Amino acid sequence: MRRRTLLASVPALALACPSRAQAWPSRPVRIIVPFAAGGPADIYARQLGDKLGPELGQPFVVENRPGGGAVIGTDAVAKAEPDGHTLLMMSNTHTANETLLPNRPYVLLRDFVPVVPVNIANHALIARPDLAVASVGELIALAKARPGALNYASSGPGTPYHIAGAKFCHMAGIQVEHIPFRGSGEARTAIIGGTVDWMFDSITTQIENIRSGKVKGLATSGTRRSPLLPELPTVSEAGVTGYTASIWLGIMAPAGTPETVAQRLNAAVTRVVTAEETRALWARQAVEPMPMSPAEFRAFLEKDIQDQAEVIRAANIRAA
């Protein structure tokens, strides 16, 4: 009789004490962006947060924690309670850091749960307005004529714009100095001001600068021409055969986050990024959604870590 009473009480106890996963989200959710404000991760985290709040019934608040090549903000998320209320907006900076920063305090696929990728975009290769080049071929020729004299900017060591520039130099066979800045905004100010020679940057950020002559557009970094800048060749078309580079974004959560939370968030983000409204907006920005399951995203991350490691070693890229 006592055993029957205990067993009968189990469902009632489960109802009285719902799991963290069942209750999620029970309070505002923080999306930690480990990069400076104004960059792609910050912009798209805020777009997502605005949509996810109504979708899931709690505010999604974006918090910028830049520094240390994205390590500071990322480590803060790794140490957060794994209940789904603290998330990381990450990028291919993180897969590059797995090789570039061997002493970082976390391991990406050990200390985080892959939740969902967000989007992917190619870059524009631009030069300062008074640099005496009008094409990728001329940029390469100038760099070869003056080894080490030119420089290229990036939004910081290990960022996609840094990797894109270093990969370009390696594949083109040129020696160019890397000038890292503390975020995309500073790098953009420098190239418009003419204090750096060239850089890879967001197509949507630079399209008006290219059209107004504030910078020179030389190429884009995808496998096909950008519909926003169809007059520019791809880098591969322009002579660096096989070259591609992109920036992608995704969401991860601290290890131990319940699988049901990850699945629910994955479904919500996927609905947002594949909605007709979002697709239309992002098409105007040359950005594409990347819908994947958590398992598919993990496989994607594993491959990208390997691919980034090959580029970093071949091009002898350093974090600083």
Side-chain angles (χ1 to χ4, degrees), residues 137-187:
E138 290 181 5
L139 176 63
I140 293 170
L142 181 61
K144 287 184 174 179
R146 301 169 57 194
L150 298 185
N151 57 49
Y152 73 96
S154 83
S155 50
T159 60
Y161 301 134
H162 174 204
I163 301 296
K167 181 180 179 181
F168 174 80
C169 293
H170 172 67
M171 292 183 67
I174 57 176
Q175 298 176 33
V176 179
E177 183 183 3
H178 172 226
I179 309 294
F181 288 84
R182 293 178 299 179
S184 299
E186 290 188 8

Side-chain angles (χ1 to χ4, degrees), residues 101-243:
L101 302 176
N103 297 320
R104 70 199 176 284
Y106 59 83
V107 175
L108 197 64
L109 293 178
R110 180 194 70 194
D111 297 318
F112 292 91
V113 173
V115 177
V116 62
V118 176
N119 60 30
I120 187 167
N122 296 318
H123 313 312
L125 172 55
I126 58 174
R128 60 181 168 87
D130 59 341
L131 190 66
V133 301
S135 67
V136 171
E138 290 181 5
L139 176 63
I140 293 170
L142 181 61
K144 287 184 174 179
R146 301 169 57 194
L150 298 185
N151 57 49
Y152 73 96
S154 83
S155 50
T159 60
Y161 301 134
H162 174 204
I163 301 296
K167 181 180 179 181
F168 174 80
C169 293
H170 172 67
M171 292 183 67
I174 57 176
Q175 298 176 33
V176 179
E177 183 183 3
H178 172 226
I179 309 294
F181 288 84
R182 293 178 299 179
S184 299
E186 290 188 8
R188 290 164 186 153
T189 299
I191 195 161
I192 291 171
T195 58
V196 293
D197 295 319
W198 59 271
M199 69 180 289
F200 282 93
D201 197 10
S202 160
I203 291 174
T204 50
T205 300
Q206 292 293 349
I207 189 168
E208 292 306 320
N209 291 331
I210 292 169
R211 288 174 175 164
S212 66
K214 290 182 179 179
V215 298
K216 290 182 180 180
L218 303 181
T220 53
S221 67
T223 57
R224 61 186 185 277
R225 293 193 181 201
S226 169
L228 298 186
L229 291 168
E231 69 276 15
L232 295 186
T234 66
V235 174
S236 183
E237 271 186 277
V240 187
T241 305
Y243 179 92

Side-chain angles (χ1 to χ4, degrees), residues 88-110:
L88 174 69
M89 177 63 96
M90 51 86 67
S91 75
N92 33 342
T93 295
H94 289 81
T95 51
N97 280 350
E98 292 294 288
T99 300
L100 279 175
L101 302 176
N103 297 320
R104 70 199 176 284
Y106 59 83
V107 175
L108 197 64
L109 293 178
R110 180 194 70 194

Side-chain angles (χ1 to χ4, degrees), residues 90-93 95 108-109 114 116-121 246-252 290-308:
M90 51 86 67
S91 75
N92 33 342
T93 295
T95 51
L108 197 64
L109 293 178
V116 62
V118 176
N119 60 30
I120 187 167
S246 63
I247 180 170
W248 55 259
L249 301 171
I251 292 176
M252 301 186 82
M290 291 176 65
M292 294 182 193
S293 69
E296 289 169 335
F297 189 30
R298 172 175 284 277
F300 173 87
L301 291 170
E302 290 172 346
K303 184 177 186 305
D304 203 66
I305 289 169
Q306 293 177 354
D307 291 347
Q308 295 267 39

Side-chain angles (χ1 to χ4, degrees), residues 44 120-122 203-204 226-228 281-288:
Y44 291 110
I120 187 167
N122 296 318
I203 291 174
T204 50
S226 169
L228 298 186
L281 173 65
W282 286 0
R284 295 193 295 271
Q285 301 169 354
V287 174
E288 298 179 8

